[in-house]
Amino acid sequence: MLEKIGHRPVLLEEALEALCIRSDGLYVDCTFGRGGHSGAILDRLGPAGRLIALDQDPEAEAEALHRFAGDDRFEFVRTSFTRLLPELRVRGLTGRVDGVLLDLGVSSPQLDTPERGFSFMRDGPLDMRMDPMRGASAAQWLARADEAEIAGVLKTLGEERFARRIARHLVAQRAVMPIERTGRLAALIAEAIPRPERHKHPATRSFQAIRLHVNRELDALDECLAQIPAVLAPAGRLAVISFHSLEDRIVKRFIRRQSEGEPLPRGLPVTDLPPGRTLLKIGKAQRAREDEVDENPRARSAVLRVAERLS
């Protein structure tokens, strides 16, 4: 979710086109952020259209109330997108949704607000929680995790080749003074890396890994995607924008698995679709245009994948 207030979300037109928005359709924005995609969807909906937006961030809720209060076509639910199917079920909308959008990751306002603790470029409390009222903060996790756990998170979720060195240094330094600020964490990571990558801050991979871990983002994505076939109406569209290779891999494999169905034994005559086939992959993965990357460097890693619900 890389939009700023007053700025266009990444891959906006591509996502809107992928959703094939009908004026009277029902759509779900699973990652409201600051409302960039939701506002664009509402612009294409007529009086009979409907948009439900989900987000667990209290600041997203405040923005939704500020921007769209009074619009009868719009409903905001402050919850994780892992609750997609239950929220639709209580509204009697299971299997009736014409399009679902997921714009993964951290929004620009979250990154640009030091108090949220997401950015290594701005000093602030080391929090990183999407919902500041739930779960342990990054500082609390770093205070109690052992060296092996920290190294595992940095290696697995950040693909950080110096994960062990960083973990060892963090554990040693937290014994001197607790690691409670983003600025100190970023400095300690930089100290531990002997050969930083060119044009990339030494703390980039580690901050990303810790954020993914604190918020269980990959597990949450798996949970949400598993609900998509039950949510979409026939010919309904799924559009997912990811900014991290691990997230994109999950989305890619999910769409492929749902498009291919369950493998059948060799030699078995097949006269119908394979069992378990629920989605049709639509087109190839799309990336941000060069002019979009020039305007917003954070768009460089953005990938859009699309699928359609089979009848």
Side-chain angles (χ1 to χ4, degrees):
M1 299 180 294
L2 298 183
E3 79 274 5
K4 292 184 180 180
I5 297 173
H7 288 242
R8 290 164 61 84
V10 172
L11 292 167
L12 175 62
E13 292 302 324
E14 292 84 349
L16 294 176
E17 183 179 345
L19 290 172
C20 295
I21 297 173
R22 300 196 334 262
S23 64
D24 61 346
L26 167 63
Y27 299 89
V28 180
D29 181 353
C30 284
T31 46
F32 178 83
R34 297 302 178 265
H37 284 111
S38 284
I41 292 172
L42 286 169
D43 286 343
R44 298 194 176 197
L45 292 181
R50 184 174 180 183
L51 172 65
I52 299 173
L54 313 178
D55 206 300
Q56 58 187 329
D57 188 337
E59 294 180 11
E61 180 178 34
E63 184 67 19
L65 293 175
H66 171 70
R67 291 186 62 180
F68 304 120
D71 191 331
D72 294 336
R73 304 169 302 165
F74 178 77
E75 179 183 2
F76 180 86
V77 185
R78 186 181 161 195
T79 190
S80 165
F81 56 46
T82 60
R83 295 273 310 160
L84 172 62
L85 182 56
E87 293 294 339
L88 293 173
R89 183 176 289 137
V90 299
R91 291 164 175 77
L93 299 175
T94 305
R96 295 173 56 188
V97 177
D98 296 301
V100 174
L101 173 67
L102 288 94
D103 184 10
L104 305 172
V106 183
S107 69
S108 285
Q110 288 173 323
L111 283 171
D112 296 337
T113 304
E115 291 75 21
R116 299 302 300 270
F118 287 108
S119 176
F120 46 77
M121 301 297 291
R122 296 171 174 82
D123 183 53
L126 185 56
D127 195 311
M128 296 196 189
R129 289 173 293 179
M130 298 292 188
D131 183 347
M133 305 304 294
R134 296 185 61 187
S137 69
Q140 291 169 330
W141 176 71
L142 278 175
R144 66 172 185 244
D146 61 27
E147 182 180 321
E149 182 181 356
I150 296 172
V153 167
L154 302 187
K155 179 69 174 178
T156 304
L157 299 183
E159 300 176 312
E160 173 57 69
R161 57 177 174 156
F162 298 112
R164 290 185 179 180
R165 292 177 65 113
I166 295 170
R168 189 181 311 120
H169 190 53
L170 295 182
V171 169
Q173 291 302 310
R174 77 183 181 189
V176 178
M177 184 174 71
I179 305 171
E180 297 177 338
R181 307 283 299 184
T182 56
R184 181 161 186 255
L185 176 59
L188 292 175
I189 294 169
E191 291 173 3
I193 292 181
R195 298 184 300 279
E197 298 178 60
R198 292 185 63 188
H199 311 303
K200 180 176 285 190
H201 193 287
T204 300
R205 296 180 185 276
S206 295
F207 265 64
Q208 179 176 266
I210 294 170
R211 189 204 84 219
L212 288 169
H213 177 73
V214 165
N215 294 288
R216 294 184 56 254
E217 291 180 47
L218 300 187
D219 291 339
L221 178 57
D222 271 327
E223 291 177 35
C224 179
L225 291 175
Q227 302 170 41
I228 294 299
V231 164
L232 289 176
R237 290 287 184 93
L238 167 68
V240 186
I241 303 171
S242 60
F243 295 84
H244 185 286
S245 60
L246 296 179
E247 291 173 333
D248 181 54
R249 195 175 305 158
I250 289 173
V251 176
K252 179 181 179 179
R253 289 176 177 174
F254 169 77
I255 292 176
R256 182 173 61 197
R257 187 167 59 248
Q258 297 299 317
S259 296
E260 295 177 351
E262 301 173 11
L264 297 173
R266 288 186 178 181
L268 187 68
V270 178
T271 58
D272 203 350
L273 293 174
R277 186 167 182 243
T278 65
L279 299 177
L280 174 68
K281 175 185 172 184
I282 302 296
K284 296 181 179 180
Q286 300 180 60
R287 295 187 177 272
R289 301 179 309 276
E290 186 175 340
D291 61 320
E292 194 169 12
V293 174
D294 289 341
E295 181 180 337
N296 181 4
R298 294 172 182 168
R300 184 174 292 107
S301 59
V303 180
L304 170 65
R305 295 187 185 275
V306 185
E308 182 176 288
R309 183 68 165 96
L310 294 168
S311 300

